Amino acid sequence: MNIHYNIVGVKLKIWGISNMKKAKFVIIISIIAVILGMTFFQLYLIPKFSDDNLENVTNDTDAITQDFNNVLIYKTKYMGNNSNIININNNLPLSNIKKSFSIHPETFAVEINYDVKASSIEQKKLEQAIIYNATVNFVLVGNLESLNLNFNDITYTISRSSLKNWYGVNLSSFENIDKLKKGVQSKLSNKTYLDKFMEEVVQK
C-alpha cells in the first residue's frame, strides 16, 4: 500500500511540475507576443498615423491649398461668439504658433497675439498667411471690422473696408469655395501680388 501511495504521489508531483512548466511556457509566449505587438505598433503603426496626420496638417495650414470647408462650419454673424473666432484661427495657417486672442465686440475688433517674431517666419509664407487669414476672418465673421495680427516684433492691421476695396466685391461672396480659390488662393503664389497687397491693404 505504501508503495502504491508513493507511486501516486510521485505521479502527482510530476504532473504538478509539468503543469507549472506549461504555465510558465504560456506566460513566456504571452510576454513575447505582447513585446512583438508593441514593437509592431511602435515601428509601423505610429509612424504611419504620424505621416498621415502630418500630411493633413500641411494641407490645412498652407494658405494656397487649405480646404475652406474646414473653417466654413465656424461662420458666425456676430463676433461676440468667441469660440467660433478662436476655432477659425486654430484651423488656419500659423495655427501651429502659440497665440492668444483679444476680442473687442464694442469696437468690432479682434487681436491675435502670436508668441513669435514675424521675422522668424519665411516672408512669403507669412504674407500668404496674413492675406488668407485676414480674408477668411472677414468672410466668416459678419460684423468684424478690424483685425490686428500682433507678433513680438511687429503688428499687422487689416480693416474690412480696405479688404473690400482690394477685392472689389462683397466679401461674403467668398463663402463660395470656388470663388475663394479663384479670387484669393490662386493668387497667393504671385510675389508681385503679395507685395502689392501688403503695401496697399495692410497697415504696419
Side-chain angles (χ1 to χ4, degrees), residues 6 10 23 30 32 75 87-88 110 131 154 163 174 194 196:
N6 287 340
V10 169
S30 299
I32 292 172
K75 180 179 179 293
N87 283 324
I88 288 169
V110 168
I131 296 169
I154 192 171
L163 203 59
F174 289 135
L194 298 179
K196 192 174 181 182

Side-chain angles (χ1 to χ4, degrees), residues 15 47 58 60 70 88 92 119 187 189 195:
W15 181 80
T58 301
D60 285 344
N70 291 340
I88 288 169
L92 290 178
S119 58
K187 301 178 185 298
S189 57
D195 292 343

Side-chain angles (χ1 to χ4, degrees), residues 134-149:
T135 302
V136 169
N137 272 277
F138 284 109
V139 169
L140 296 184
V141 184
N143 66 341
L144 176 64
E145 292 297 329
S146 179
L147 177 67
N148 279 12
L149 304 177

Side-chain angles (χ1 to χ4, degrees), residues 121-140:
I121 304 171
E122 181 189 343
Q123 184 179 356
K124 186 176 181 180
K125 289 291 184 185
L126 176 64
E127 291 178 353
Q128 289 173 340
I130 289 171
I131 296 169
Y132 181 74
N133 288 11
T135 302
V136 169
N137 272 277
F138 284 109
V139 169
L140 296 184

Side-chain angles (χ1 to χ4, degrees), residues 8-160:
V8 172
V10 169
K11 286 183 177 180
L12 288 173
K13 188 174 182 180
I14 293 172
W15 181 80
I17 293 171
S18 177
N19 279 353
M20 286 178 64
K21 287 182 177 180
K22 286 180 181 179
K24 287 181 179 179
F25 179 76
V26 169
I27 291 171
I28 291 171
I29 292 297
S30 299
I31 292 172
I32 292 172
V34 169
I35 292 171
L36 290 175
M38 290 177 67
T39 302
F40 175 78
F41 186 77
Q42 291 283 341
L43 296 180
Y44 177 74
L45 291 182
I46 289 179
K48 183 176 186 300
F49 293 150
S50 298
D51 290 343
D52 290 344
N53 289 337
L54 182 60
E55 182 178 347
N56 290 335
V57 167
T58 301
N59 288 337
D60 285 344
T61 58
D62 189 293
I64 297 176
T65 60
Q66 195 203 36
D67 184 355
F68 184 59
N69 279 314
N70 291 340
V71 290
L72 185 57
I73 57 175
Y74 301 116
K75 180 179 179 293
T76 178
K77 288 184 179 180
Y78 307 107
M79 57 174 297
N81 193 333
N82 296 353
S83 62
N84 278 20
I85 293 174
I86 292 170
N87 283 324
I88 288 169
N89 289 281
N90 280 342
N91 286 280
L92 290 178
L94 307 182
S95 61
N96 59 316
I97 298 173
K98 184 180 178 182
K99 59 189 173 299
S100 62
F101 297 82
S102 301
I103 299 174
H104 310 284
E106 69 282 359
T107 56
F108 309 106
V110 168
E111 295 184 71
I112 305 175
N113 311 299
Y114 294 98
D115 189 17
V116 69
K117 289 184 177 181
S119 58
S120 68
I121 304 171
E122 181 189 343
Q123 184 179 356
K124 186 176 181 180
K125 289 291 184 185
L126 176 64
E127 291 178 353
Q128 289 173 340
I130 289 171
I131 296 169
Y132 181 74
N133 288 11
T135 302
V136 169
N137 272 277
F138 284 109
V139 169
L140 296 184
V141 184
N143 66 341
L144 176 64
E145 292 297 329
S146 179
L147 177 67
N148 279 12
L149 304 177
N150 302 326
F151 293 85
N152 291 341
D153 54 350
I154 192 171
T155 292
Y156 300 98
T157 301
I158 305 99
S159 68
R160 177 178 292 274

